[in-house]
């Protein structure tokens, strides 16, 4: 299985405290976490064609997507290409602030807006579909000590499968683990993870993302 | 619209602190709350045929169901009759501990088990489908100061529509507002409400139940 | 209820045999059919802003959409505006070849492609959700003597509710009556209807479209 | 993977023309068809505990079910045991007239009624979810020269995933390939197959059932 990890890679290059958490970038942390799931490569915004020429997508079984500060800088032709690839069967795992990426909004058709508050709150990730392969081996709940809060209402179509719901110390809830099928492609959105917190170093979160990559991969 | 409110009516007759909260029974409180939704009658376990002979069901557009201590005392032939009525188009609104009623398990086919803890915690009820008619006019979130906790995993089929998700002070989440369609009937499960707390006197909870009754009623 | 009927109105202006079937345009036929459902106005491609300025959409509870030959001529800013209106709660009923319209593809995120063959075949429209309000009063099946064939695979997300499935004399099947919810808006796709056949004069088809308009209308 | 094939085995023992088609019983034909999918055993109604004691179910990853003439002769305690096994994670593939089995109705909660006509009509099985693993390697459509007709309305809950829709020479349609998840178990209903026709010798049908067995098996 060929996994391509896409990262905007802006915060890591411009903010010391983010680089301290993710010295190899969020993409680097994810590459380490997914090393056993398949053959992993990374791609970032600043590369030519954002590192996603047709030759890369044609050779990708599942693409993970992290972006936040520079969604608008992603070229529409690259979005078109990723969109076609997903409809053709490439898996897509959209992470955290990627909910506002062009590709996620293109695939889902809604605003994908949500409520948020960044105060380093405890997040609990509850499994509501324990037999789902993406929940395999995951504790009930996953405990994340400090996280940005993402809350409802999350403006997405009703997911084809709902796997996880998060709660936050402030009392909010969020449908943070959602499966969608579009064309021949499988899409998983997973909300945990932010540039300000070491969430992608959390073993349970890594487990979920690895599970998701296997579930979403092209068949 | 003809609404029949069914209540087991055991706690109210045997426990002083429950009778203090619901002097007219939970069915009495609901009858008051639903007075504007239609023509309301009540029925309870201790009545002949539990107050649900065929003549009553034939004349009922939507039935609400509350039970807890005496699920096993509900006669199978009455369950069969209610089951047939729902499949034939009568609406059903199942409340709180009714998740373990024979009729709910019969209609859904699963154990309907869940996690729980009764420590009078704050419950927040979040709308995740704000355009749904059952969420009409409801604040985001509904705040219930003290409630029994119901938590995931809730062993139900994936609901046809998910309207509300609750969080509790302890951090748990629960899919507490779920729509199901079975046969020609509409079913709504709503988790808030317990004999130990005055939840059915809460105006927002009353609003949801009234909305649900209108949504579920026979067409 | 304010209904706006949008029609591309190209075939009717350029082809005699279409004008013979729809002398007032497809929009005219639909306006007659929907006269009892609400206050009806029509809008067409050749009008300024395609007849859909913000003032019209703001005053529209449900919009019906028919297009075929000129999907690409619909201005992107009008598509954006309609998209925003649907997400904000305006209903949308997309008819037949409107499956390839910009707005339908924008809302659903997939190619919306399908198989087709125009040989005037008998279409049977079967109800698979008889309690759905859009199927109210509809015979099982609806018989359309001559129609263009639309067949699977239809590349759409799994519909939130599937109401009708068609079969054709050639043996094909098609999910021709599909409900989607996006944002606060309700969308119904209904496949029967083509410029070459008098399908929009068929009383059962008119009934379905009127039911759909009521179901989808802004709340 | 351990596959248990359950068959009522009534028609094959009592009707010559059925025995001519299935000399080893429908269970024998399925055992041959599924030989590569895993370790296969068979069980039939006339055996002690219908061949389904707890020891067999505990050792079964997926159970297939065929019944028709003797649904009522299946003991309730065996149905209870199979029900528990499915909710606990055992897969279940229900075939053709098994739609009226006690176990299928128990799991789904509806009547599971349908329309039918036995005149040996051509059935076409169309894939509506081409990326689904159960549709892997299947032609579009599968052609069955002669079959009993099963038609809508099929009184089931909306399936969690709809994979196949059949059409018949008489024009009827049927949701003949439906996925359900209940508890930790996966259920697939597949309508093709009847004691009067050699449908279980059809290589494409065997392919679907083998795919379904792999999809449904306990994880």
């Amino acid at each position: 299985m060929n996994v391509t990890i896409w990262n905007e890679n802006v915060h890591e290059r411009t903010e010391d405290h983010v680089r301290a958490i993710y010295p190899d970038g969020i993409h680097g942390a994810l590459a380490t976490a997914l090393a056993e799931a398949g053959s992993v490569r990374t791609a970032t915004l600043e590369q030519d064609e954002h590192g996603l020429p047709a030759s890369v997508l044609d050779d990708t079984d599942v693409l993970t997507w992290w972006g936040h500060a520079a969604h608008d800088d992603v070229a529409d032709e690259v979005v078109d290409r990723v969109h076609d690839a997903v409809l053709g069967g490439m898996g897509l795992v959209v992470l955290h602030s990627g909910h506002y990426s062009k590709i996620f909004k293109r695939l889902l058709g809604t605003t994908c807006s949500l409520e948020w508050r960044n105060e380093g709150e405890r997040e609990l990730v509850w499994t509501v579909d324990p037999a789902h392969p993406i929940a395999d081996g995951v504790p009930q709940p996953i405990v994340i000590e400090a996280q940005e809060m993402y809350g409802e209402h999350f403006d997405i179509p009703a997911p084809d499968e709902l796997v996880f719901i998060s709660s936050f110390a402030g009392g909010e809830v969020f449908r943070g683990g959602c499966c969608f099928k579009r064309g021949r492609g499988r899409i998983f959105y997973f909300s945990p993870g932010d540039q300000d917190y070491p969430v992608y170093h959390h073993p349970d979160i890594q487990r979920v993302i690895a599970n998701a990559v296997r579930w979403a991969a092209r068949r």
Side-chain angles (χ1 to χ4, degrees), chain A:
Chain A
M1 177 170 58
N2 292 325
V3 183
T4 300
I5 296 169
W6 193 86
N7 183 23
E8 167 188 291
N9 197 30
V10 169
H11 295 288
E12 299 94 321
R13 291 186 295 136
T14 58
E15 297 174 51
D16 288 347
H17 82 279
V18 177
R19 194 161 46 239
I21 300 171
Y22 296 112
D24 301 316
I26 286 174
H27 53 294
L30 289 172
T32 301
L34 296 174
E36 291 180 15
S39 172
V40 174
R41 87 188 107 192
T42 64
T44 55
L45 179 67
E46 73 271 23
Q47 293 177 304
D48 189 37
E49 301 186 61
H50 312 322
L52 297 175
S55 59
V56 166
L57 293 179
D58 290 349
D59 193 40
T60 296
D61 295 310
V62 57
L63 175 70
T64 72
W65 193 276
W66 198 98
H68 179 236
H71 291 311
D72 286 348
D73 297 341
V74 178
D76 286 340
E77 57 265 35
V78 172
V79 176
D80 291 344
R81 194 185 294 155
V82 174
H83 187 220
D84 288 348
V86 172
L87 297 185
M90 184 184 73
L92 181 68
V93 176
V94 175
L95 296 168
H96 191 60
S97 45
H99 72 92
Y100 266 149
S101 62
K102 288 182 178 178
I103 183 61
F104 193 58
K105 294 191 290 184
R106 175 84 63 88
L107 281 159
L108 295 195
T110 57
T111 65
C112 301
S113 63
L114 47 77
E115 301 297 313
W116 61 277
R117 175 181 62 235
N118 193 359
E119 298 185 358
E121 289 168 73
R122 185 199 61 180
E123 176 176 0
L124 302 178
V125 181
W126 298 89
T127 297
V128 299
D129 187 354
H132 198 285
I134 298 182
D136 183 57
V138 165
Q140 178 79 311
I142 300 172
V143 179
I144 304 171
E145 290 303 335
Q147 241 290 56
E148 185 178 36
M149 183 280 289
Y150 271 17
E152 297 283 345
H153 173 61
F154 187 19
D155 181 29
I156 51 172
D160 293 304
E161 297 174 304
L162 178 61
V163 183
F164 302 114
I165 297 173
S166 288
S167 72
F168 293 84
E172 288 85 359
V173 300
F174 192 68
R175 288 170 294 165
C178 297
C179 299
F180 303 92
K181 300 199 294 184
R182 293 297 184 270
R184 297 187 68 92
R186 292 179 175 196
I187 303 160
F188 185 65
Y189 174 76
F190 191 49
S191 64
D194 186 273
Q195 72 279 2
D196 288 340
Y197 307 98
V199 175
Y200 295 121
H201 298 306
H202 190 307
D204 296 332
I205 299 302
Q206 293 179 347
R207 170 104 192 199
V208 170
I209 298 172
N211 286 345
V213 158
R214 289 187 191 95
W215 172 82
R218 190 192 302 272
R219 273 148 179 84

